[in-house]
Amino acid sequence: MRKPHVVEAIIGNTKVLGQLDSNGILQRFYWPAVDYYQQIKLFLAAVFLDGLVFFEDESFKIKSGFVDDFAYFFEYKVADKTIFQLDFVDCETDSLVRSWEVNFKDFYVFLEPMINSSSLFNAAKVDKENEIVYAYFKGTYIGLAFENKIKSFTVKNGIDDANDNQLEGWLEATNPQIAVKLKNAGRVVCFLAFGNSKDEVYRKLSYLKQKGYDDVYSQNKTFWEKKFSKVKLVCTEDPKDIELQKRSAYIFYTLQNSKTGGILAASEVDEKFFHCGGYGFVWGRDAAFITAAMDALGLSREVEKFFEFKFSCQEKEGFWDQRYYTDGTLAPSWGVQIDETASVVWGFLSHCERQNSLHLIDLHKEQLKKALLFLIATVDSEKGVVFRSFDLWEEREGIHLYSNASIYAALGKAKKYFPELESEIERKLKAIKNQITTAFYSHKLSRYVRSTDVRIPREEFLKLPEENRYVEKDEKYEITYYFKKQDEVADISMLGVYYPFEMIDSSDKAFKATVLAIERECQNTIVGGYKRYSDDRYIGGNPWILTTLWLAIYYKKTGQVDKAEKLFEWAKAHSLSNGLFPEQVDRLTGKPAWVVPLAWSHAMYVLYLNEKNEIKLN
């Protein structure tokens, strides 16, 4: 069974992460870290009413949302009775804690494990004395326990077995489907613990049961109150902005592996890569925006931890590859993306300057210099950037306007801290600036283009006019490479030369014409918002929250307040009712179309609000 790609909420404790769909079903739980492994195949609850009634369903759901800014509830109505379900992840044991307020006599919980992302060869056994059901595979254990007394159980064919309201009591099974029938006194409390041994899981569950649900909840509420006490909120006329800022802080906290510092782009929802290359990884690209937003919210220590993480996984050549797991190991990548390295350098130095933490530059000076030397080597002193890499969206190999601007910003910000490289950096900056206004300028369109020297398939090459194509042959191998000289597609990422990288002034005529092309060709005229580029086909070619807010920030910085606020309000209106931002909005219905929540979307919201507040203060 394929897991859903769109979920409603994530729950976590800065170390592990769970996902709840719109019906309240726990679809994924990542342990021992926020990005791996997936441990749950099926986790359901049901009441018995002339047969099993699985109430985590849209036909029974009334409402849902956050409680105390960290726990997540769903309310259901079954046969005129209300069921209230509440989930959170315990800060001490990394366990899932779930409670149900329910008045049905016969209550069932079903669990099918998928330990370490594999549903093969899992096994289960029941500890009758301690009333714990264990699932295990290859040294990893999951333990299921309750505050309530267990009336009956089985670890074999649980759902089928429960259809007659009786369980057969199988104590052990392979490929288990666990079912537990519980004694219900108005509230059912469930603990789901994970560990590398049976003893570890037993200790966690014993701790939780001994402490009791109410104390565990209170302790976690205090944990999150302390976290939120650090958050700096911008007050506006709209009270929704307070909620959205809190949600943004929560997302940044929960998507960061607090043990290592790595920050996920999103909680993974496409683990089999049906539609994309996955989201549960760390990108330097996203992080340049995310860390700026975290600084704005007062989470500077977490930002510092992130850059410690990045320096720990720098490649020996000085660059950072496309993406990493939060333990620092290289994640599946398909080519070097030069803006990743430039974004880390620029983002780190920007953080140090924002926080007046210049001592950190000295601390990481050797690693920074390696990164700078790598970036310098990608730039020819006459031609500009000559290093082909993938673009911001990781779809095209070539030389890109956004990438060049990121290199320009990184080198420009670094030169004063590395006086021995200053003269060479100045030559490179001059070459990049000249390259932008020559190679990236289209006389036909009187504006900038998004890319040059783009590698393309032979079929596309044959359709291009002679003046906009060329070939290169590999002399060692019988390989011919085909290239497009200029890619003229209007792309939101072209705003990067102005924001955040400040390479071109907003008065630049070619840039103004570029913005007009973006406005004209990237807008969705049905539901509003802006897609990434004019011929975007990813997940159907929808408008994105972050792209729309990127344009809003440009408008705000250039004094076009009404335009900026209109786009800002559009983005807010397309957040979920719980305050989480998706990546995309369906181009026809306006509903969330893809990943929820996306950290970059939340970052752009915070950065716009911060820009708005700074202008107001000035």
Side-chain angles (χ1 to χ4, degrees), residues 518-535:
I518 290 169
E519 292 172 330
R520 182 176 60 250
E521 298 176 33
C522 297
Q523 185 180 22
N524 179 291
T525 57
I526 299 173
V527 298
Y530 286 79
K531 53 188 175 179
R532 296 179 301 168
Y533 47 87
S534 57
D535 60 347

Side-chain angles (χ1 to χ4, degrees), residues 9 13 44 51 151 162 174 185 209 227 270 399 406 476 561 567:
N13 68 346
L44 296 172
K151 294 174 73 173
T174 56
K209 290 173 75 173
K227 290 279 186 187
D270 193 16
I399 300 172
S406 70
K476 186 176 180 180
V561 178
L567 295 186

Side-chain angles (χ1 to χ4, degrees), residues 87-257:
D87 288 279
F88 64 93
V89 180
D90 178 49
C91 60
E92 288 291 328
T93 63
D94 301 339
S95 304
L96 175 77
V97 182
R98 172 174 280 189
S99 69
W100 293 274
E101 293 177 15
V102 55
N103 288 316
F104 288 92
K105 177 184 176 183
D106 295 321
F107 192 88
Y108 286 86
V109 173
F110 301 95
L111 172 66
E112 196 169 340
M114 189 166 70
I115 298 175
N116 293 351
S117 301
S118 173
S119 55
L120 298 175
F121 312 118
N122 288 197
K125 61 172 58 184
V126 179
D127 177 350
K128 291 172 69 176
E129 181 181 350
N130 294 297
E131 296 202 349
I132 298 172
V133 184
Y134 293 99
Y136 60 96
F137 169 63
K138 222 173 181 179
T140 299
Y141 284 76
I142 300 176
L144 179 66
F146 304 88
E147 280 194 349
N148 309 64
K149 285 290 182 184
I150 294 177
K151 294 174 73 173
S152 59
F153 61 83
T154 188
V155 295
K156 186 176 180 180
N157 302 323
I159 292 176
D160 288 341
D161 194 7
N163 277 323
D164 61 357
N165 205 20
Q166 294 182 356
L167 297 176
E168 295 183 0
W170 288 97
L171 287 166
E172 295 191 51
T174 56
N175 299 317
Q177 191 183 81
I178 298 161
V180 180
K181 184 179 180 181
L182 296 154
K183 187 175 182 180
N184 177 26
R187 183 173 77 176
V188 174
V189 174
C190 170
F191 303 116
L192 198 60
F194 307 81
N196 291 314
S197 69
K198 185 179 176 182
D199 287 345
E200 180 186 350
V201 170
Y202 174 76
R203 287 193 300 270
K204 289 180 178 180
L205 292 174
S206 297
Y207 163 83
L208 291 167
K209 290 173 75 173
Q210 184 177 359
K211 194 171 185 66
Y213 176 83
D214 292 330
D215 282 353
V216 171
Y217 186 89
S218 178
Q219 180 173 290
N220 279 272
K221 183 179 178 182
T222 301
F223 170 84
W224 280 104
E225 284 173 346
K226 187 176 180 181
K227 290 279 186 187
F228 282 113
S229 69
K230 294 168 55 179
V231 178
K232 298 175 182 176
L233 300 175
V234 174
C235 294
T236 71
E237 295 177 359
D238 186 355
K240 186 175 181 179
D241 285 320
I242 298 296
E243 178 196 8
L244 291 172
Q245 288 175 86
K246 281 188 172 184
R247 294 292 174 268
S248 298
Y250 176 77
I251 294 311
F252 300 148
Y253 275 132
T254 53
L255 290 180
Q256 181 170 33
N257 183 336

Side-chain angles (χ1 to χ4, degrees), residues 267-279:
S267 180
E268 187 58 74
V269 294
D270 193 16
E271 56 271 271
K272 294 186 182 294
F273 301 168
F274 284 115
H275 297 289
C276 65
Y279 280 75

Side-chain angles (χ1 to χ4, degrees), residues 207-416:
Y207 163 83
L208 291 167
K209 290 173 75 173
Q210 184 177 359
K211 194 171 185 66
Y213 176 83
D214 292 330
D215 282 353
V216 171
Y217 186 89
S218 178
Q219 180 173 290
N220 279 272
K221 183 179 178 182
T222 301
F223 170 84
W224 280 104
E225 284 173 346
K226 187 176 180 181
K227 290 279 186 187
F228 282 113
S229 69
K230 294 168 55 179
V231 178
K232 298 175 182 176
L233 300 175
V234 174
C235 294
T236 71
E237 295 177 359
D238 186 355
K240 186 175 181 179
D241 285 320
I242 298 296
E243 178 196 8
L244 291 172
Q245 288 175 86
K246 281 188 172 184
R247 294 292 174 268
S248 298
Y250 176 77
I251 294 311
F252 300 148
Y253 275 132
T254 53
L255 290 180
Q256 181 170 33
N257 183 336
S258 60
K259 294 179 181 178
T260 66
I263 304 171
L264 299 182
S267 180
E268 187 58 74
V269 294
D270 193 16
E271 56 271 271
K272 294 186 182 294
F273 301 168
F274 284 115
H275 297 289
C276 65
Y279 280 75
F281 306 101
V282 184
W283 276 266
R285 168 200 64 183
D286 301 45
F289 296 91
I290 295 166
T291 54
M294 290 172 73
D295 271 337
L297 287 173
L299 309 185
S300 57
R301 179 65 192 101
E302 285 74 15
V303 172
E304 189 176 322
K305 182 85 172 176
F306 169 78
F307 285 112
E308 288 172 5
F309 163 82
K310 288 304 289 184
F311 284 120
S312 75
C313 59
Q314 186 178 21
E315 304 296 331
K316 67 179 188 297
E317 297 87 349
F319 70 95
W320 283 274
D321 218 315
Q322 225 169 31
R323 56 192 193 170
Y324 295 82
Y325 292 107
T326 62
D327 65 1
T329 56
L330 183 64
S333 301
W334 47 91
V336 174
Q337 188 178 333
I338 194 68
D339 66 79
E340 298 283 353
T341 300
S343 294
V344 172
V345 173
W346 176 83
F348 173 70
L349 294 175
S350 298
H351 164 71
C352 293
E353 291 174 354
R354 279 193 301 265
Q355 301 301 320
N356 195 25
S357 299
L358 300 184
H359 66 283
L360 296 176
I361 299 174
D362 290 330
L363 186 65
H364 296 290
K365 201 142 196 177
E366 185 179 335
Q367 292 155 302
L368 277 170
K369 189 170 184 177
K370 283 178 68 176
L372 287 172
L373 290 172
F374 174 80
L375 291 174
I376 287 169
T378 68
V379 186
D380 181 86
S381 296
E382 299 296 327
K383 298 177 181 178
V385 177
V386 293
F387 184 88
R388 288 195 190 103
S389 75
F390 278 88
D391 68 320
L392 176 73
W393 311 121
E394 302 174 331
E395 296 174 340
R396 288 163 291 278
E397 188 181 50
I399 300 172
H400 313 288
L401 187 67
Y402 179 89
S403 304
N404 287 23
S406 70
I407 296 170
Y408 184 90
L411 294 179
K413 196 168 278 291
K415 67 180 180 179
K416 64 183 175 183

